[in-house]
Amino acid sequence: MAAQFGRRLRKGAATTAVAAVAVAALSASQAPGVNDHGRQTAADATPSPDASASDGSATGNSPYYTDLPPLKSPNPSPSTGTGTAAPGTTEAGIPATVLDAYKKAETALNEAKPGCNLPWQLLAAIGRVESGQARGGRVDADGTTISPILGPQLDGNGFALIRDTDNGAYDGNSSYDQAVGPMQFIPSTWAWAGRDGNADGKKDPNNIYDAALAAGHYLCRNNWDLSDQKDLDRAILSYNNSREYLNLVMRWVEYYRKGTHEIPDGTGTLPDNRSDDGAGASPSPSTPNTPNTPNTPNTPAPGGSKPKPSPKPEKPGGGTTTPQPPTDPGSTPTTPPSAPPTNTDTVDHLEDAGTAKLTAMAGDAFTKRISTRAETKAGKAVGKVRVRFTIIGDTDTTFTGGENVATVATNSSGVAVAPALQAGEKTGGVTVRATVVGRTVAGLDYTATVTERAADALARTGDAALTCTPGGEFANQVEVKATYGGAVADGVAATATLIKSADDPAVADKGPYFKDADGKAVRTLKALKTDAKGLLKLPKLYADDTTGTFLLRINTAGGATLTVELTVAAAETSSPSPSTSPSA
C-alpha cells in the first residue's frame, strides 16, 4: 500500500492503546471460531516452507491496512446496490463491481481447482486489507481502477529491497518494484500469477477481475485445500508473510462470512491505519471528503500540482524512511548510493545442484525434483536469492498445483529446489528453465521426459470358457485388467489381435473376428485404452464356419501381453435313446 492510497492517519501512542482496546473488544464480539481458533492460528502460525520458499509473498510484504472489522455484525441481507448507501453501511459493504469480481473468481476456481475450496470471502478480506476494496470501489465499468494503486517502492529503505523486474511496465518504476493494483501484486509475481479475469485478452493487475482471479489461483497453488485451516493459514502467509497479517485477514474473513451487502461503486470508505504507521508521527495532509465520497489520493492541487507525500513515520525499531512516489515512466531514476548490494547482485551464474534424471509416465508425478544453486563468480553459494523455474514449450506438464511457473528462495547452501513436476498427457521432452529474479544472468535449462502410460501385467477378470459354435456369437466378452507395479494402470494404450498361432503373431485370416462400425469382419483392434480402473472390455466376438482353437493376443504400452484361447466347435448332439419293442 502506498502513500498514494489517500488519507493515512498516523496517531501517537494513544492510538496504539486504543487499537489494543479495539482488538480486545472485537475478540469478545466475534464468534467462537474467531475468538479462539482464529487468534490461536495467528499466534501459533509459522511460515510454511511453501510460503517462505515462494516469491517471498505476492505483495513483497508491502504495508497493508490494519483497520479491524466493525464490532457490529454486517447486514446479512444483500441490498440491490442501486441506491445510496445508508449512513454507517459503507464500511461493512463491498462495492458492486468489486464484489462481482470476487464471486466470479470463486466460481472460476471451483471449476478449475475444485479441491481448493476457495471462498470469495477470503478474496474480499485480502482486498479489504490490501487496498480498501479498490479504494472504495473506484473502478470503471470494466473493473479497472480509475487511477493506479501503488505500494511504496521496495528500495530496502524501511521495506523489502526488490530491484526492478519489469522495467517499469506495471508500476512505472524502472529502479525498484512496487506492489500494484487492488490486490497488490508485485511485478515479479504478477509475471507468472497474472490472469485475464474479464476475458478482454489482457492480464492487468489494475483490473479487479484480473487481480481477483490471479489472487484466487495464487492462494490455490501447492494443492492447498482452503477448507483446511492449516492450508488456509499457509496460503494467507504466502500472500504477506506476517502473523499479524494472517490474524487480520482471518478476522475479515469471518466478518464477511456472517454476511455483507453490496454498495454502489465509488461509495466505499478507505481504512485509516497502515501496518507501517509509527507512533508519534503527525497526520498526513488529506483532501476533505463529502459524505459517501471515497478518499481520493493525490488529488491535483490548483494549478495542476500534486501534494507531496507525507514523511514516512519513525519505525518502531528506530530510524525514519521516506516512501517514494511512483517513478515517472519517462524519467530515469538512479539507485541511491546508500543502497547496499543485495545477495541477488552478487549472483554470477546458476549451477545444477545434483538433479537426477527426470522421467515420469503421463499423468504421474515426477519422483525427482530440480535443484539449482546460485553462485558468485568465484563459485561461492549465494543464499536468500529468488530463483524462478518456468516450464516452457508446448506441454501440459505443470508443477504440482497446476502452475507452470514457481519461484523459490535459495537456502543457506545457495540451493533452490523446485516443486515436483506433474506430468500431463503429452509425451516427450519438457524444458524447465531456471533464472534469477532481479538479475540478468544466463538461465539454466533442465529436460524432463514424459513417457506414455504403461502396464507391466494383464489378467482376465473372469475365468469363463470362451466358446462358440460355427457361424455363431461368443456368449462372453473378453475383459482384462492392466496393472503397473501392482497398481492400477489407467489410460494405457492397447491393441487386440487374433493371431495365427503362438509362434506366428501374424493376423489370422480365418476363425473368430470382431465387427467394425459397418458390420464387416476385422481381426485387429487398435487405439484401445484402459479405463480409470485399469479395465479393458473388448467388443463381442463372432465365429465364421471354421472350427478349432484360436488365439487372441492383447498387448499394451510398456510390454504387457496376454494371450486368450478361443474355441469354435460344433454343438454336441445327443444319441437317440434305444427304442422298445411293443409288447406281444
Side-chain angles (χ1 to χ4, degrees), residues 4 51 62 121 160 209 266 279 293 303 307 348 359 418 428 522 575:
Q4 294 95 322
S62 293
Q121 290 89 346
Y209 288 99
T293 301
D348 177 76
T359 302
V522 293
S575 57

Side-chain angles (χ1 to χ4, degrees), residues 9 46 51 76 78 111 166 170 176 200 227 250 297 336 426 471 544 574:
L9 300 183
T46 56
E111 294 177 358
D166 66 331
Y170 295 120
Y176 301 99
D200 65 353
S227 65
M250 280 306 304
K426 292 183 179 180
D544 59 16
S574 57

Side-chain angles (χ1 to χ4, degrees), residues 341-362:
T342 66
N343 287 16
T344 302
D345 295 331
T346 67
V347 177
D348 177 76
H349 59 274
L350 294 174
E351 289 284 346
D352 176 49
T355 302
K357 184 177 181 180
L358 300 167
T359 302
M361 201 180 298

Side-chain angles (χ1 to χ4, degrees), residues 51 53-62 154 162-166 170-171 177-180 183-195 203 205 210-211 214-215 217-219 221 238-240 386 388 390 403-408 437-438:
S54 68
D55 225 358
S57 73
T59 68
N61 294 325
S62 293
L154 301 174
I162 303 179
R163 299 195 190 279
D164 175 62
T165 62
D166 66 331
Y170 295 120
D171 54 15
D177 273 353
Q178 295 174 245
V180 181
M183 301 304 279
Q184 288 290 278
F185 280 97
I186 55 174
S188 60
T189 302
W190 184 261
W192 63 266
R195 293 293 192 280
K203 299 177 182 178
D210 293 0
H217 277 279
Y218 185 91
L219 294 164
R221 71 198 194 287
S238 78
Y239 211 90
N240 193 310
R386 291 177 297 155
R388 178 170 296 140
T390 305
E403 304 293 345
N404 61 5
V405 179
T407 305
V408 181
V437 177

